[in-house]
Amino acid sequence: MKNIMVTGGCGFIGANFIRYLLSESDFTGNVINVDSLTYAGNPENVADIEERYQDRYLFIKADICDMAGMNRTFGKHEIDTICNFAAESHVDRSIVAPDAFIQTNIVGTFNLLEAARSQQNRMIRFHHISTDEVYGSLGKDGYFTETTPYKPNSPYSASKASSDHLVRAYYKTYDLPITISNCSNNYGPYQFPEKLIPLMILNALEGKPLPVYGDGRHVRDWLYVRDHCTAIWTIMKNGRIGEMYNIGGDSEMENIAIVKMICDILDEMNELSNNRSRRELITFVKDRPGHDRRYAIDFTKLNKELNWRPEASLETGIRDTIQWYVDNKKWVERVKSGEYRQWIKTHYA
Ligand code: NAD
Ligand code: DAU
């Protein structure tokens, strides 16, 4: 692999992956980060990388829905590998406004597949990042495996399921060298504060209400983003072509328990005024429509075939994440105030 195109590299997981690839992994080639900079795309997430790896890192502001643009980029930069993170990623937004999800997640992925197919002789790997949400919801017991039938419940998960099917079809029909990974809920540095964990950390720091949907007993399997990055790179290097791999954090927890954990860690670090416990900020609010009850991942295949397992425990991962948000006040302020959007507007006018 010489020239890896990472799409969505200014978002949460993509930025962490680029950082891992260039500064911690054994990859020695170039990274071409293609991102259209939606509300979730923040070039500041990779600003230090751009500075440090000027000879191996290139950012291109482009939309994966622009097929001609994708074809040009593939040719000009001799792309031989792609890792496709670019997506609309937030379930609540997909319920309110599904259109962009259909465009980016389905049409955008299709464009990348076509660009890769048109230059197939050079393609080493098309790795597609997907989600456990394609499998739908679990009851109290059981786990998602790679053979669990797809049963998506939100416009977001339906659009991701659709893109997975397209990727798989390009392998079956055109022999495109693909792999797909379906992972559970990520958390860690640089996550946009619309998702549960960063939202709760930032609200709790400010003494604001902590909105928990429904009864708060929905379960997610939390995966520290660095563990996700090591899993992706392992699959890209050694995963079998045409295969899907599930990635999980081995850390199932009810939402209410994770919110209480965040409250307690923050109380330990600095107390709210009047000695109030942050747990008092927890506010149960109306449930999300179609809210999946439980996700849990069986990652035996990835463990047995490629010897991967997550390193972070939920407790250490959450502590490190809280510390990151506390230490990176400037990033938080610029994201919350929208200043980073202003910068993008002037920089890419
Ligand atoms: P994110 O919302 O933080 O980032 C998405 C990035 O994609 C942004 O930088 C955005 O600007 C870019 N983007 C969006 N539309 C684009 C377009 N049309 N063209 C080019 N770039 C575009 O998302 P994330 O949480 O980092 O998720 C990354 C991937 O991982 C997604 O495919 C998501 O479905 C998947 N995933 C996420 C999680 C999670 O817990 N966050 C879990 C499982 C799978
Ligand atoms: O499982 C993988 C998926 O995880 C990814 O594919 C998605 O891109 C990612 O956004 C995430 O989806 P979720 O819907 O599970 O994540 P979110 O952080 O939005 O919510 C986590 C849980 O917390 C979910 O049960 C809803 C609940 N929640 C969320 C928010 C934002 C609340 O109770 N209150 C909130 O304010």
Side-chain angles (χ1 to χ4, degrees), residues 267-284:
D267 283 348
E268 217 179 275
M269 289 167 75
N270 90 39
E271 278 173 8
L272 272 184
S273 54
N274 307 329
N275 278 348
R276 275 188 312 145
S277 153
R278 284 182 168 82
R279 288 188 182 207
E280 290 173 39
L281 302 170
I282 295 173
T283 313
F284 290 94

Side-chain angles (χ1 to χ4, degrees), residues 11-13 35-36 38 41 63-64 85 89 104 156 160 183 186:
F12 162 49
I13 309 175
D35 196 303
S36 64
T38 68
D63 190 332
I64 62 166
F85 292 94
S89 68
T104 289
Y156 162 71
K160 292 297 288 187
C183 73
N186 283 221

Side-chain angles (χ1 to χ4, degrees), residues 287-321:
D287 209 352
R288 170 188 280 174
H291 195 173
D292 289 333
R293 193 67 178 168
R294 175 170 166 259
Y295 303 145
I297 283 262
D298 177 345
F299 59 86
T300 307
K301 178 174 173 180
L302 183 54
N303 178 250
K304 288 250 151 70
E305 277 188 24
L306 303 177
N307 199 24
W308 177 90
R309 59 171 308 107
E311 276 179 14
S313 72
L314 189 52
E315 165 92 20
T316 59
I318 291 285
R319 279 185 186 275
D320 289 353
T321 304

